[in-house]
Amino acid sequence: MEMVAQRLLVIVILGLFRLIPCYAAIPAKTQRLINKVNKDGPYLGLVIPNMFEMNPLLNHPTFKPSNLTIDFAGKRFRFGTIHEEKVVLVMTGLSMLNAGVTTQLLISLLNVKGVVHYGIAGNVNPSMNIGDVAIPKFWSHTGLWNWQRYGEGPDDELPLEANGDYTRKIGYLNFANYATNVSNCSSNDNLLNNVWYQPEEIFPVDGVPEQRQHAFWVPIDSDYLQISKKLEGLELEKCVNSTTCLSISPKVAIVSKGASANIFLDNAAYRDFLFNKFGISPLDMETAAVALVCHQQRVPYVAFRALSDLAGGGSAGSNEAAAFAPLAAENAVAVVVEFVRILASLESEW
């Protein structure tokens, strides 16, 4: 009788456990898929802002998709090859947050040997044109500010500066310099005062946990930079269709710097400030987050951004981003495919 009672108790307990939902960090089925694909790796990770920019690659004849995808945490990881190079594609969505989270998931979950990020961007550099593909050597997040109290200036210490939280080393934007209804004189004033640009706090994977470092300019991988130099001279498309073409043939160009912020910039004054102050060429809303995560995790990365418009207007041709965004997306994909082809050929020699 006692044995029967014990068995009934076990049955009841097991039944209760079945009623309790299991919230594992990674579902068992997903983990099995991850284990499977990781055995076949490593992969080159392609991080892409949205489907508008991903579709040209999905439809490119060199991309051979596998029959496997992994869905996790709202992201879809698509596997395949480009020129026999094993790749995994993932879409981030708009903004620095989505780009950073997606890149960290990619690196943490999958056997990834490097990251290639691409998409379209606004142009800040007056020497570049719509349709060009820019490959910056360095990326920065220019949306992290310390907004200084009105009445204080460059000689006044910022709040928490003494603790190392903020700095005046990078520089600032003074809003009074952009007033249009007063003469340009020392008495110009503006209640918005100054904003000081700040570096990101980073915690490298090979550093001491919780011991911060700082980074403002994040370099691309040196090997990827050498490959990228071989892309200059690549022929790019100049026409959206038979009636809409650029007056100047687009080019691939290695440039000094690119930047990102959670801002869609369509303002000529701020565009000119960024170029004159920092020497930026492409400006977007995701790349710096990808760069910072890769930098912290010590994963090689490179970013290609095709210029879809002159931020703030003023170009000789049509400056509607909607008109040339499809062309820019196609040109970005063309550069990515050629980069992967060269990378694959070099790896076969190694």
Side-chain angles (χ1 to χ4, degrees):
M1 193 69 180
E2 184 178 348
M3 182 67 71
V4 172
Q6 288 177 345
R7 288 178 177 175
L8 286 173
L9 179 60
V10 170
I11 291 171
V12 170
I13 291 173
L14 290 174
L16 288 174
F17 273 119
R18 290 192 184 99
L19 296 176
I20 299 173
C22 180
Y23 297 110
I26 301 178
K29 181 180 178 181
T30 302
Q31 187 63 66
R32 286 194 294 271
L33 289 175
I34 291 172
N35 294 341
K36 178 179 183 296
V37 299
N38 282 342
K39 289 179 182 178
D40 295 331
Y43 299 87
L44 185 65
L46 302 185
V47 178
I48 307 155
N50 56 53
M51 289 305 300
F52 170 79
E53 290 151 316
M54 181 182 284
N55 280 331
L57 182 56
L58 294 177
N59 296 324
H60 199 278
T62 64
F63 175 66
K64 309 298 181 185
S66 73
N67 57 3
L68 175 64
T69 60
I70 296 178
D71 294 341
F72 179 70
K75 306 298 178 183
R76 172 162 291 175
F77 299 92
R78 305 165 185 261
F79 297 85
T81 61
I82 299 174
H83 291 298
E84 306 304 319
E85 179 80 22
K86 294 178 181 178
V87 297
V88 52
L89 282 60
V90 62
M91 188 195 80
T92 68
L94 183 74
S95 84
M96 297 279 286
L97 173 63
N98 283 321
V101 167
T102 304
T103 305
Q104 185 65 66
L105 281 172
L106 171 71
I107 293 171
S108 298
L109 295 175
L110 300 175
N111 183 5
V112 173
K113 62 184 178 183
V115 169
V116 174
H117 178 63
Y118 78 88
I120 65 174
N123 178 27
V124 178
N125 185 341
S127 69
M128 298 194 72
N129 301 295
I130 293 173
D132 289 352
V133 177
I135 310 174
K137 298 177 183 178
F138 296 89
W139 282 90
S140 174
H141 176 203
T142 53
L144 184 56
W145 293 352
N146 184 307
W147 206 316
Q148 195 171 33
R149 181 178 300 180
Y150 176 70
E152 296 184 350
D155 295 329
D156 297 302
E157 188 175 275
L158 301 174
L160 305 180
E161 183 179 344
N163 297 333
D165 293 344
Y166 299 104
T167 178
R168 284 173 288 159
K169 292 181 180 179
I170 296 171
Y172 67 100
L173 167 68
N174 176 247
F175 287 94
N177 291 339
Y178 295 89
T180 61
N181 59 344
V182 294
S183 61
N184 186 17
C185 63
S186 59
S187 62
N188 284 0
D189 203 1
N190 191 303
L191 292 174
L192 293 176
N193 202 26
N194 305 318
V195 292
W196 292 84
Y197 291 84
Q198 301 299 317
E200 287 277 2
E201 286 189 354
I202 62 170
F203 301 87
V205 66
D206 53 2
V208 178
E210 299 182 350
Q211 185 171 312
R212 66 183 176 183
Q213 298 179 24
H214 289 92
F216 189 71
W217 294 114
V218 181
I220 65 173
D221 179 71
S222 58
D223 291 334
Y224 287 178
L225 173 59
Q226 294 307 311
I227 296 174
S228 297
K229 290 178 179 178
K230 300 177 185 295
L231 302 172
E232 292 184 304
L234 181 67
E235 186 174 343
L236 300 174
E237 291 292 332
K238 64 179 294 186
C239 294
V240 178
N241 49 47
S242 59
T243 59
T244 306
C245 292
L246 297 166
S247 58
I248 301 174
S249 294
K251 63 183 181 298
V252 180
I254 307 292
V255 298
S256 177
K257 297 168 183 173
S260 309
N262 285 328
I263 303 165
F264 184 90
L265 177 61
D266 198 22
N267 181 277
Y270 190 58
R271 174 195 73 206
D272 292 344
F273 168 82
L274 289 176
F275 178 74
N276 293 326
K277 178 67 177 178
F278 298 117
I280 290 166
S281 291
L283 186 73
D284 62 45
M285 301 175 71
E286 294 86 21
T287 306
V290 177
L292 284 159
V293 171
C294 289
H295 183 59
Q296 292 190 87
Q297 300 299 313
R298 303 305 191 222
V299 174
Y301 88 97
V302 68
F304 308 115
R305 282 288 183 162
L307 308 178
S308 61
D309 64 287
L310 181 63
S315 64
S318 170
N319 192 46
E320 294 300 323
F324 289 104
L327 174 67
E330 292 283 353
N331 283 348
V333 168
V335 171
V336 169
V337 168
E338 182 63 11
F339 175 87
V340 175
R341 185 192 69 78
I342 298 173
L343 177 64
S345 66
L346 291 174
E347 288 176 340
S348 66
E349 297 173 2
W350 301 339

